[in-house]
C-alpha cells in the first residue's frame, strides 16, 4: 500500500480462516474449571440429581462486593467447599487466601450451621466470554428451585448513562435488577434505561431468569478506581436483603476488617497520589 | 457537543488522588494533605513538595506529572532569584505553570497533565493559595480543597471562610485539619501516618511537617466531636424515605409506590 508521502507499507490481511473460529470456541468451555472438596462431591453423589441442595446463594463479583461479603457474611462459621479456576497464568500471584488483590480464584463457601446457604466470592474480573461457562458449571451442581439468589457487583460511574451529570448523583450509589420470579421489591432503585448490566453478574441473573429462580442483582456504581470505604459502605444496607439476612454473621470487628480490605487494595496503587 | 474530553478525563485523574486542603490567613498560608497507605517496603511518597523558601505545593493526581511540574516550578524560582535577586512572586509562578499546562492540551501527540496543584506561597503581596488544573486554568483562592471526596472539605471551608483572615496560625491549622477530616469516613481518623502539613508565612519559610511532627497539631483537634459526616447521598436517602422526590442516588429500601413511578420514566 502506498501512502500519501510515497512510502510503501506492508498490508496485513484481516481475512480469517474458518478453522480458527472452531478452535477458540473449544477453549471457552474448558477454560473454566470447578473443583469441589471431596466431602461436597460425596454429598452430591448421594442426591437424586447429583446436585447440592441450596436454599440461599450469594454471588459476589469484584473487590467491593467480595469485601462486603468477607466482612459481614463469610468471616466466620463458613467453610470452603469448592473453588473455580479461570484463566490462571504462570506469573499470577496466588496466595489462595484472597490476601492479594491479584488472587485469581473464586471460592465457594458454605455456612457451617446452615448447609444450604452458599456464597461464591469472585475477587477478580471474569471475562465476559467465560461467564457463560462459569455460570453453567457452577449452577449445574446446585439445586436452587425453592431458593433465593442475590448477586452483588460493582462498576464505574463512567459506565452509567443518564441525563443527570454523574457528579450530581452523589456516587457511589446502588442500582438493582431482578428476575420475573422474584416477587418482592429490591432494596435499591431499578437500573434505569439505557443502562445495562454486563459480565458475570448479568450472566448469572440471566441464568436465574431463564430457570425461573428468585434472584436480584445489586450493582454499585462507584467513582473511585481504588476500593474505598464509601463504596464498601454502599453495600451495607444490603445486609438486610433476602437471603443475606439469614446468612450473615455479626462481626464486631467490622471496621477493622473493612480497613484491612481497603488497605490491601490501596497499597498496590502508586499511580495516583 | 463541543467538549474536549481529554481535558475532562485529565480532571477526573485529579479526583483519583487523595484529598488536600489549602487555607490562608492575614499572615500565613497552609496546606494539609491526606497521604494514602503505602507499602512498608518503600519510602513514603511525598504529597507536599517544597518549591522555594517561600512557596510549596501539594498535589492530587498522577505522581509523575506532579514531579515534572514541581521541577519546572523549582527551576523558574531559581532563575528568578539568579536573574533578579528576589523571590518570584507567586502569581507569576502560577501563570507560568498555567501557560506550560496549556501546551499539551493543544499539541498533537500529547496529553494534558493529570495533576492538580494547590500552591501556598508568601510574597510582597502577602499569603496566597492558588489552585491549578489540568485544563490550564488557575484560580486565586481564599481557601480550596481538591482530590477524592474533597467536596466535604470545601463545604467545611465555605462555612468558616470569614474566620480565616483573623485566625492565629494554630487556629488556622486546626481548621485545615478539621476540613481534611471531613473527607474521611467515620471509621478512619487523622494520624501521623496519613497526614502532612506545610506552612509558609511572613517570618516563616515554607516548612513541611510529617509523621511525628504533625502530632502536636493533631493533638489540638483530638477528641473533638466530628460533624455527623453524613455524605450528601445519605441525606437524600433520608428524605426519600418519606416518599418524596425520585432521588436516583437512594441506597435505602425504596418505597414500592415510588418504585412504580420510577419504572414509568
Amino acid at each position: 500500500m502506498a501512502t500519501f508521502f510515497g512510502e510503501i507499507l506492508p498490508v496485513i490481511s484481516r481475512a480469517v480462516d474458518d478453522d480458527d473460529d472452531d478452535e477458540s470456541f473449544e477453549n471457552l468451555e474448558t477454560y473454566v474449571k470447578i473443583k469441589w472438596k471431596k466431602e461436597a462431591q460425596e454429598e452430591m453423589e448421594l442426591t437424586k440429581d447429583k446436585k447440592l441442595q441450596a436454599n440461599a446463594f450469594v454471588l459476589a463479583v469484584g473487590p467491593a462486593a467480595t469485601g462486603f461479603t468477607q466482612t459481614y457474611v463469610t468471616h466466620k462459621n463458613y467453610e470452603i467447599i469448592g473453588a473455580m479456576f479461570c484463566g490462571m497464568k504462570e506469573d499470577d500471584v496466588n496466595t489462595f487466601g484472597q490476601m492479594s488483590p491479584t488472587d485469581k480464584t473464586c471460592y465457594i463457601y458454605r455456612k457451617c450451621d446452615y448447609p444450604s446457604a452458599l456464597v461464591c466470592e469472585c475477587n477478580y474480573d471474569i471475562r465476559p466470554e467465560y461467564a457463560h461457562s462459569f455460570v453453567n458449571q457452577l449452577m449445574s451442581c446446585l439445586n436452587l428451585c425453592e431458593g433465593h439468589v442475590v448477586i452483588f457487583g460493582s462498576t464505574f460511574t463512567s459506565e452509567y448513562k443518564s441525563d443527570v451529570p454523574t457528579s450530581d448523583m452523589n456516587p457511589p450509589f446502588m442500582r438493582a435488577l431482578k428476575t420475573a420470579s422474584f416477587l418482592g421489591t429490591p432494596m435499591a432503585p431499578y437500573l434505569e434505561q439505557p443502562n445495562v448490566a454486563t459480565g458475570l453478574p448479568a450472566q448469572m441473573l440471566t441464568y436465574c431468569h431463564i430457570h425461573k429462580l428468585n434472584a436480584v442483582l445489586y450493582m454499585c456504581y462507584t467513582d473511585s478506581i481504588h476500593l474505598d470505604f464509601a463504596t464498601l459502605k454502599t453495600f451495607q444496607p444490603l445486609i438486610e436483603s433476602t437471603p443475606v439476612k439469614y446468612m450473615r454473621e455479626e462481626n464486631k470487628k467490622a471496621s477493622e476488617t473493612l480497613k484491612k480490605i481497603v488497605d490491601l487494595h490501596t497499597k498496590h496503587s502508586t499511580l495516583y497520589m | 457537543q463541543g467538549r474536549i474530553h481529554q481535558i475532562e478525563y485529565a480532571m477526573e485523574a485529579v479526583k483519583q488522588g487523595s484529598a488536600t486542603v489549602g487555607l490562608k490567613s492575614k499572615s500565613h498560608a497552609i496546606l494539609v494533605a491526606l497521604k494514602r497507605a503505602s507499602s512498608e517496603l518503600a519510602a513514603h511518597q511525598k504529597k507536599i513538595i517544597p518549591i522555594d523558601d517561600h512557596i510549596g505545593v501539594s498535589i492530587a493526581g498522577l505522581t509523575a506529572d506532579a514531579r515534572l511540574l514541581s521541577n519546572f516550578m523549582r527551576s523558574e524560582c531559581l532563575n528568578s532569584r539568579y536573574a533578579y535577586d528576589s523571590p518570584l512572586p507567586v502569581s507569576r509562578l502560577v501563570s507560568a505553570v498555567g501557560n506550560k499546562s496549556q501546551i499539551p492540551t493543544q499539541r498533537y501527540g500529547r496529553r494534558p497533565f493529570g495533576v492538580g496543584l494547590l500552591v501556598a506561597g508568601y510574597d510582597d503581596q502577602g499569603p496566597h493559595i492558588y489552585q491549578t488544573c489540568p485544563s490550564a486554568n488557575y484560580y486565586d483562592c481564599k481557601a480550596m480543597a481538591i482530590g477524592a471526596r474533597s467536596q466535604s472539605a470545601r463545604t467545611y471551608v465555605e462555612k468558616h471562610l470569614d474566620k480565616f483572615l483573623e485566625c492565629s496560625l494554630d487556629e488556622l491549622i486546626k481548621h485545615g485539619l478539621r476540613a481534611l477530616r471531613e473527607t474521611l469516613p467515620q471509621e478512619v481518623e487523622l494520624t501521623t501516618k496519613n497526614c502532612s502539613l506545610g506552612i509558609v508565612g511572613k517570618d516563616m519559610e515554607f516548612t513541611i511537617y510529617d509523621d511525628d511532627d504533625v502530632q502536636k497539631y493533631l493533638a489540638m483537634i483530638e477528641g473533638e466531636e466530628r460533624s455527623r459526616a453524613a455524605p450528601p447521598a445519605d441525606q437524600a436517602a433520608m428524605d426519600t424515605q418519606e416518599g418524596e422526590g425520585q432521588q436516583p442516588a437512594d441506597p435505602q429500601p425504596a418505597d414500592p409506590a415510588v418504585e412504580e413511578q420510577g419504572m414509568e420514566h
Side-chain angles (χ1 to χ4, degrees):
Chain A
M1 162 188 123
T3 68
F4 182 77
F5 300 104
E7 50 185 305
I8 309 289
L9 292 176
V11 181
I12 303 162
S13 167
R14 289 183 290 181
V16 178
D17 270 344
D18 279 349
D19 294 341
D20 289 345
D21 283 341
D22 289 338
E23 265 191 59
S24 49
F25 273 127
E26 259 188 70
N27 284 340
L28 281 178
E29 291 307 312
T30 54
Y31 211 54
V32 181
K33 299 232 184 314
I34 184 168
K35 290 254 183 287
W36 295 99
K37 228 167 135 174
K38 210 161 128 242
E39 292 86 358
Q41 251 174 334
E42 283 164 11
E43 273 181 49
M44 278 192 264
E45 291 298 315
L46 293 174
T47 61
K48 230 185 337 185
D49 48 6
K50 309 266 188 261
K51 295 187 189 186
L52 279 179
Q53 182 64 34
N55 287 338
F57 183 66
V58 176
L59 174 65
V61 184
T66 51
F68 164 69
T69 52
Q70 277 168 2
T71 308
Y72 292 104
V73 184
T74 58
H75 65 99
K76 76 170 186 223
N77 249 342
Y78 274 83
E79 50 161 357
I80 296 181
I81 59 164
M84 301 205 60
F85 301 93
C86 186
M88 278 210 293
K89 297 200 191 62
E90 289 286 327
D91 50 352
D92 281 334
V93 174
N94 269 304
T95 63
F96 290 108
Q98 311 283 38
M99 294 306 286
S100 162
T102 53
D103 260 322
K104 277 194 174 169
T105 44
C106 298
Y107 286 121
I108 304 164
Y109 296 84
R110 179 165 66 182
K111 201 167 193 322
C112 297
D113 51 354
Y114 180 17
S116 53
L118 298 173
V119 179
C120 179
E121 284 177 1
C122 188
N123 203 6
Y124 68 103
D125 271 331
I126 305 271
R127 301 225 331 247
E129 50 261 39
Y130 304 125
H132 177 79
S133 173
F134 185 103
V135 169
N136 270 359
Q137 291 199 40
L138 177 59
M139 299 304 266
S140 58
C141 302
L142 303 179
N143 178 1
L144 269 163
C145 285
E146 310 294 316
H148 271 273
V149 177
V150 68
I151 306 153
F152 298 122
S154 65
T155 184
F156 296 119
T157 48
S158 51
E159 311 281 327
Y160 188 77
K161 304 159 190 60
S162 98
D163 46 7
V164 178
T166 320
S167 44
D168 289 354
M169 308 229 12
N170 294 322
F173 54 85
M174 193 67 80
R175 288 291 181 270
L177 286 171
K178 69 172 190 71
T179 60
S181 325
F182 183 82
L183 299 170
T185 312
M187 287 176 70
Y190 288 113
L191 184 61
E192 303 89 340
Q193 299 229 6
N195 294 292
V196 288
T198 58
L200 181 60
Q203 184 75 56
M204 179 62 87
L205 191 68
T206 311
Y207 180 97
C208 294
H209 184 76
I210 291 170
H211 289 82
K212 301 203 184 345
L213 302 175
N214 299 330
V216 186
L217 160 62
Y218 291 102
M219 191 67 90
C220 176
Y221 284 88
T222 177
D223 57 347
S224 170
I225 51 178
H226 309 123
L227 181 58
D228 65 349
F229 269 102
T231 311
L232 281 172
K233 296 207 26 206
T234 318
F235 280 101
Q236 204 171 2
L238 299 177
I239 299 185
E240 300 301 329
S241 65
T242 322
V244 183
K245 58 186 178 201
Y246 306 120
M247 300 165 69
R248 53 189 279 209
E249 284 290 331
E250 200 184 317
N251 188 352
K252 298 203 169 49
K253 297 212 196 129
S255 305
E256 286 168 38
T257 319
L258 287 175
K259 238 194 255 194
K260 261 198 262 185
I261 294 171
V262 171
D263 276 348
L264 183 64
H265 283 89
T266 15
K267 275 191 191 182
H268 296 258
S269 53
T270 48
L271 202 60
Y272 296 95
M273 264 249 289
Chain B
Q1 220 178 355
R3 292 161 73 165
I4 303 181
H5 292 281
Q6 281 301 313
I7 299 181
E8 293 180 35
Y9 297 160
M11 290 171 69
E12 287 297 313
V14 176
K15 292 191 205 151
Q16 298 299 337
S18 55
T20 173
V21 183
L23 308 173
K24 68 179 180 189
S25 68
K26 259 205 303 219
S27 55
H28 291 84
I30 67 165
L31 297 168
V32 276
L34 202 57
K35 289 194 291 208
R36 272 224 171 95
S38 61
S39 159
E40 274 132 28
L41 298 173
H44 275 238
Q45 287 204 301
K46 301 218 181 306
K47 185 101 167 134
I48 303 185
I49 303 172
I51 301 294
D52 200 344
D53 295 333
H54 65 301
I55 303 181
V57 296
S58 84
I59 69 180
L62 285 170
T63 331
D65 288 4
R67 201 176 59 230
L68 205 89
L69 281 180
S70 50
N71 285 345
F72 168 76
M73 292 168 86
R74 283 175 177 167
S75 74
E76 289 294 296
C77 286
L78 278 177
N79 287 343
S80 169
R81 281 199 191 263
Y82 179 75
Y84 306 110
D85 204 22
S86 74
L88 183 59
V90 188
S91 56
R92 265 194 227 150
L93 176 63
V94 173
S95 68
V97 172
N99 292 340
K100 183 174 166 73
S101 305
Q102 196 280 338
I103 296 170
T105 67
Q106 211 177 0
R107 197 149 286 184
Y108 165 80
R110 298 188 60 179
R111 60 162 180 83
F113 290 110
V115 64
L117 304 176
L118 284 183
V119 185
Y122 191 94
D123 60 16
D124 292 336
Q125 317 288 87
H128 301 275
I129 295 281
Y130 281 91
Q131 177 198 2
T132 73
C133 223
S135 56
N137 284 332
Y138 51 90
Y139 308 95
D140 188 354
C141 306
K142 293 180 192 167
M144 180 48 76
I146 58 176
R149 316 252 169 259
S150 56
Q151 182 56 54
S152 335
R154 282 198 290 276
T155 312
Y156 175 92
V157 143
E158 277 165 26
K159 232 195 292 180
H160 297 100
L161 202 51
D162 40 5
K163 302 190 188 127
F164 296 152
L165 222 51
E166 298 301 324
C167 259
S168 69
L169 178 59
D170 280 357
E171 279 300 318
L172 194 69
I173 295 174
K174 276 161 58 171
H175 278 302
L177 291 172
R178 282 188 209 117
L180 196 64
R181 196 173 48 182
E182 293 291 304
T183 66
L184 291 170
Q186 285 289 72
E187 291 80 5
V188 185
E189 281 298 334
L190 285 177
T191 65
T192 54
K193 286 207 184 333
N194 64 11
C195 185
S196 251
L197 172 62
I199 313 174
V200 67
K202 189 162 184 297
D203 300 307
M204 187 175 180
E205 287 185 350
F206 188 80
T207 319
I208 300 181
Y209 296 89
D210 255 327
D211 300 319
D212 292 329
D213 299 329
V214 203
Q215 181 49 41
K216 141 176 173 203
Y217 298 104
L218 286 177
M220 293 198 282
I221 58 163
E222 212 171 311
E224 271 181 24
E225 232 187 76
R226 289 173 71 164
S227 67
R228 271 207 57 211
D234 280 357
Q235 296 287 3
M238 310 260 285
D239 288 334
T240 53
Q241 271 201 320
E242 274 92 27
E244 283 175 32
Q246 255 303 286
Q247 282 285 358
D250 182 358
Q252 300 288 341
D255 190 8
V258 174
E259 272 307 318
E260 284 310 306
Q261 288 169 25
M263 290 289 277
E264 275 153 28
H265 271 232

